[in-house]
Amino acid sequence: MSNGRHSSHAGFRKAGSFMVSLLVAIRGGGWQGSLQGTTRCLHHRMACSHRVGLLFAPSVEIPLAPRRRFVHDGTAPGQDCVCLCHLQPLPCPMKRFYVVASIPLLLAALIPIAASLWVAHRQAKNDQITYLTSLADEVLRRGVASRQQLVAALNDLDRDPHAPCSQASLTRMQQLVGTSFYLQGMGSVMDGTLVCSTLTQGSDLVPLTGNHMVTATGISSWIGARLPFAPDQPFNIYARNGHAVIIHPGIVIDMPVLHADVSLGLLISTPQALIRSKGPLDAQWLALYTPDASSQVESDTHHIVFRASKDNNIAAVAAAPKAQAYGGLWAQALILAPLGLVASALFALGVAVLTRWQLSPRVRLRTALRRREFFILYQPIVDLQTGQWVGAEALLRWRRRNGTLVPPDEFIAEAEKAGVIAPITRYVIDVVLADLPELLKARPGFHVSLNLSPQDLVADGPVQYLQRRFSAMEFPAGALMLEVTERGLVNIEAARPALQAARQIGASIALDDFGTGYSSLSMLESIDIDTLKIDRIFIASIGAQAAISPVTTHIIEMAHTLQLALIAEGVETQDQVDFLIARGVRQAQGWKFARAMPLEELLAGLRVAPPSQPQ
Ligand SMILES: Nc1nc2c(ncn2[C@@H]2O[C@@H]3COP(=O)(O)O[C@H]4[C@@H](O)[C@H](n5cnc6c(=O)[nH]c(N)nc65)O[C@@H]4COP(=O)(O)O[C@H]3[C@H]2O)c(=O)[nH]1
């Protein structure tokens, strides 16, 4: 004993230093929940949601989950046991939340700003093209008007009976010029020479210079011709049948523009030639013009708009530097960016709320139910006299999509806290009721026990659901055992309707985990239960080298006095079997006999003839 005590103290010291390093990790790395659980479970083991077992001081360690790491508070004075809390990293919803949410949150912040800049960019381009289109339309309107006046004047002179350059002819020309807004003068042309005109009366013959061409409508044109009275001013001269019209090239193109670097031009479509222009018009831009078609094109540096009049064989062009359009972009961005930021913040908040909601235990557990990630294993309950499997406890398991198996100690507590235990219990009820016919067929008189949480013991809860379903299925009385915990019976009045409903379908009631919580003798007397389940912590204290807890013997004696049946949980050794049989305990479950198993395995075991003697 003294050896055991000594080694135990050494073990405590070792565990103590182990704990120190763990506590550092706890404080720095989100283990606060486990730490609090560890402390709280000293007072009441059910308060520790991550509890995996109890350690008896000084010498008995209960290896409930041997592959896990543990921390225990070995400094609890006056306690006969301390709580073991496993420190395996539990899924930390908030940590996962930040990992899962960070990408959408980042996108949520960036997308609206990028979108607002993109919208501003598009808007700036559209605005510039709209402006250029309006300018080109105006140039074309003027061009068409000047073209029509020009043709009308030439037609008129064709019909004039007076000899070219006669006074009567020049007078008629002056009348036409006076009534035509876009015409500056008229005259007669012979062999490329202006022989007379309303602008050059009395002058010598004027040989026509400038770019000469004949258009598709048969009009000879001299673009940029010079006349003696204004040698610095280029004129455009158009002639047909010896009659000529003189036009000032600026008259069509000269209009106010918003920016000095806007270029305007008027083109003859066929053969393509620029007849009037204002500002630089690159030949490469003009090469982008498809004759007689209105279009918008762009070079590396400019947006260019063409507007064409097919009937008049002319087109207008307007061009402006792209940089000029996007110069205002930053001004727009400055307006849009704050709006984008506000939208981002709202969007990010929405994403955060949604993601948090999705990662909440409530939603995760409901999703697991919907995806059928829960399943049931059965642990046989054995008659210690005959070795027969007389019943089985339904134990819930959660296998997540990634394959990890979450122990019920973790998710049941979460489900209770999140208020979703009722649908989970209903699911267990459904599975058990579906499995029961086969089990009863394989072993008549067999019973299945299922666990109820305190929240299940309410009016119109899962027990009433079971009652409705059970009544319709005609199972024999005693086929079901409902395991309630001491916590569930703290408010016995609230639990009574559920217990009565259980009674009405002939289900027996067992008090689970007895001795670990608030139970008192008076409580046992006041409630109508059939069976006490001795918690495995008390069974674990039964062993060749260990001091048997006096509580174990008391529980057994008390149950006999109250004429309650007993089921011992967590039986692992022959010593424990012998001890229990010697004290009149009839039934037990534990790894000594069988671990929790799937239905098929349980059925196969029931079909095998049981040994006639206890092991
Ligand atoms: N060390 C040791 N352990 C043994 C041995 N024999 C059985 N056990 C384990 O002891 C637990 C017995 O269940 P419990 O006391 O009702 O304790 C259950 C029960 O309170 C709760 N639980 C399980 N299924 C359900 C359920 O469907 N609904 C509710 N409300 N609670 C459930 O989770 C607890 C833990 O369940 P499990 O992890 O399945 O753990 C089971 C079982 O696997 C043994 O020889 N040695």
Side-chain angles (χ1 to χ4, degrees), residues 376-389:
I376 293 286
L377 294 182
Y378 292 98
Q379 184 176 37
I381 296 171
V382 176
D383 184 317
L384 288 173
Q385 296 292 335
T386 63
Q388 259 196 349
W389 291 0

Side-chain angles (χ1 to χ4, degrees), residues 45-46 51 62-65 376 379 393-397 407-409 411-412 416 421 424-425 428 450-454 456 483 485 512-513 533 535-536 569-572 589-592 594-596:
R45 79 169 211 164
M46 297 312 292
R51 176 276 303 182
I62 307 164
L64 288 176
I376 293 286
Q379 184 176 37
E393 179 177 0
L395 292 166
L396 192 58
R397 297 286 178 268
D409 270 333
F411 71 80
I412 294 287
E416 287 175 353
I421 192 68
I424 292 178
T425 305
V428 175
L450 47 91
N451 289 280
L452 296 179
S453 283
D456 292 331
E483 296 189 13
T485 62
D512 199 7
D513 301 341
K533 291 196 83 172
D535 195 88
R536 59 186 190 270
E569 282 185 315
V571 176
E572 293 182 354
Q589 63 188 93
W591 298 346
K592 163 79 180 132
R595 293 203 178 222

Side-chain angles (χ1 to χ4, degrees), residues 248-547:
H248 188 301
I251 195 155
V252 167
I253 226 88
D254 206 7
M255 63 178 75
V257 288
L258 289 178
H259 302 281
D261 44 9
V262 171
S263 304
L264 298 174
L266 190 66
L267 303 173
I268 290 179
S269 294
T270 315
Q272 190 178 312
L274 186 64
I275 50 175
R276 289 163 220 183
S277 69
K278 179 184 175 188
L281 280 170
D282 196 313
Q284 284 182 345
W285 306 345
L286 299 181
L288 298 171
Y289 172 61
T290 309
D292 299 331
S294 295
S295 59
Q296 304 157 10
V297 292
E298 57 186 273
S299 72
D300 290 345
T301 54
H302 281 68
H303 288 133
I304 304 143
V305 173
F306 293 101
R307 307 290 286 169
S309 168
K310 189 175 177 191
D311 292 344
N312 294 283
N313 191 31
I314 56 172
V317 56
K322 289 177 180 174
Q324 184 198 81
Y326 303 140
L329 180 65
W330 289 113
Q332 288 196 36
L334 282 180
I335 299 169
L336 286 173
L339 290 177
L341 279 174
V342 172
S344 303
L346 289 176
F347 185 47
L349 192 71
V351 171
V353 169
L354 191 71
T355 314
R356 218 188 151 111
W357 175 77
Q358 277 181 336
L359 292 176
S360 69
R362 187 184 176 83
V363 174
R364 284 188 320 160
L365 288 162
R366 281 199 172 275
T367 308
L369 257 182
R370 207 184 53 243
R371 290 183 186 156
R372 305 194 151 271
E373 289 174 14
F374 292 112
F375 63 97
I376 293 286
L377 294 182
Y378 292 98
Q379 184 176 37
I381 296 171
V382 176
D383 184 317
L384 288 173
Q385 296 292 335
T386 63
Q388 259 196 349
W389 291 0
V390 292
E393 179 177 0
L395 292 166
L396 192 58
R397 297 286 178 268
W398 179 12
R399 191 184 303 283
R400 307 181 72 167
R401 266 189 170 178
N402 61 12
T404 47
L405 204 60
V406 187
D409 270 333
E410 283 165 23
F411 71 80
I412 294 287
E414 255 192 31
E416 287 175 353
K417 249 190 281 171
V420 284
I421 192 68
I424 292 178
T425 305
R426 281 201 296 271
Y427 170 78
V428 175
I429 289 169
D430 287 343
V431 175
V432 167
L433 290 186
D435 293 348
L436 206 50
E438 267 193 285
L439 289 167
L440 289 172
K441 200 170 143 203
R443 178 70 49 87
F446 197 76
H447 78 264
V448 172
S449 66
L450 47 91
N451 289 280
L452 296 179
S453 283
Q455 286 100 316
D456 292 331
L457 299 176
V458 290
D460 206 19
V463 181
Q464 286 75 5
Y465 171 77
L466 168 69
Q467 183 185 25
R468 286 194 295 276
R469 291 220 48 206
F470 193 88
S471 312
M473 296 177 87
E474 295 178 355
F475 290 122
L480 278 184
M481 177 187 279
L482 303 185
E483 296 189 13
V484 297
T485 62
E486 297 164 277
R487 282 186 304 142
L489 301 177
V490 171
N491 185 352
I492 185 67
E493 285 316 311
R496 216 175 284 286
L499 297 177
Q500 277 166 0
R503 284 279 173 235
Q504 281 163 13
I505 57 170
S508 62
I509 294 166
L511 189 55
D512 199 7
D513 301 341
F514 183 72
T516 59
Y518 300 103
S519 312
S520 68
L521 198 59
S522 61
M523 180 206 211
L524 276 185
E525 281 173 326
S526 70
I527 54 170
D528 183 17
I529 57 164
D530 308 288
T531 303
L532 271 191
K533 291 196 83 172
I534 312 172
D535 195 88
R536 59 186 190 270
I537 62 166
F538 299 110
I539 303 303
S541 76
I542 306 168
Q545 286 110 42

